[in-house]
Amino acid sequence: MNATILNRRTQSPLALPFALSFENNKNGRTLNLGETVILQREINSFLSALRSRGITEGVQFHLG
């Protein structure tokens, strides 16, 4: 994937991070944590896809 930030091409590994973490099941619920880079125009469809699969989100945005 060719990433650009402010119209400048980058090959930095920080531009395309994705991480997941899973914590133990407690009372039928598992805590799944994830971090990804996403374009602003993709946020609504991304969150809708999560919700349609029964995944609730607590979202924290870091805008640069």
Side-chain angles (χ1 to χ4, degrees):
M1 179 175 195
N2 296 322
T4 59
I5 298 173
L6 299 174
N7 296 318
R8 182 176 172 181
R9 237 178 130 183
T10 181
Q11 294 183 7
S12 170
L14 299 176
L16 301 173
F18 182 80
L20 291 174
S21 168
F22 302 94
E23 295 187 11
N24 291 336
N25 183 333
K26 302 219 179 187
N27 300 321
R29 299 184 76 172
T30 302
L31 179 61
N32 304 307
L33 305 171
E35 180 179 340
T36 188
V37 171
I38 191 166
L39 297 174
Q40 186 172 358
R41 67 177 182 257
E42 298 171 332
I43 291 172
N44 288 334
S45 59
F46 179 77
L47 294 178
S48 293
L50 293 176
R51 290 184 195 114
S52 72
R53 291 164 176 80
I55 300 171
T56 57
E57 76 283 342
V59 177
Q60 183 175 7
F61 293 100
H62 298 276
L63 301 175

